[in-house]
Amino acid sequence: MQKSSVNKVILVGHIGNKPEGRYTPSGASNATFSIATNETWIDSDKERKDHVEWHNIVAWNKLADFSTEYLHKGQL
C-alpha cells in the first residue's frame, strides 16, 4: 500500500438528525449524525423499487464545530 494514498467518499443525502456535538477529555470537538441516501429503480416486473441506506458520520475539530452550528435535520 502506498504511503500517500487517499481514501475519499462523497455522500449526497438528507441529514437524519441534528448533529450532536461533544468534546474529548483533551479538548478536541467531535460531532455525530446520520445521512440517508436513496436509490430508486424499476425492476423487471415494471415495479418501482426504493431503497434507503443510512450512514453514520463522525466529524472532528473545525468540521465538527461547523456541523453542529449550521447543519439541521432534513437538509440535503
Side-chain angles (χ1 to χ4, degrees), residues 19-22 29-33 57-60 63-65 67-68:
E20 189 176 306
R22 293 187 213 68
S29 61
N30 69 347
T32 58
F33 57 97
I57 309 298
V58 179
W60 290 91
L63 188 56
D65 297 337
S67 299
T68 55

Side-chain angles (χ1 to χ4, degrees), residues 15-22 30-34 64 66-73 75:
I15 298 176
N17 53 351
K18 181 160 176 45
E20 189 176 306
R22 293 187 213 68
N30 69 347
T32 58
F33 57 97
S34 59
F66 177 88
S67 299
T68 55
E69 189 171 346
Y70 294 107
L71 299 182
H72 304 285
K73 180 178 180 177
Q75 277 185 320

Side-chain angles (χ1 to χ4, degrees), residues 3 21 27 32 37 40 45 61 76:
K3 290 183 182 182
T32 58
T37 55
T40 304
D45 297 329
N61 300 321
L76 184 62

Side-chain angles (χ1 to χ4, degrees), residues 18-49:
K18 181 160 176 45
E20 189 176 306
R22 293 187 213 68
Y23 288 92
T24 63
S26 63
S29 61
N30 69 347
T32 58
F33 57 97
S34 59
I35 292 180
T37 55
N38 300 352
E39 181 181 13
T40 304
W41 71 94
I42 297 176
D43 66 4
S44 59
D45 297 329
K46 307 289 188 211
E47 291 183 32
R48 183 177 177 196
K49 299 287 184 178

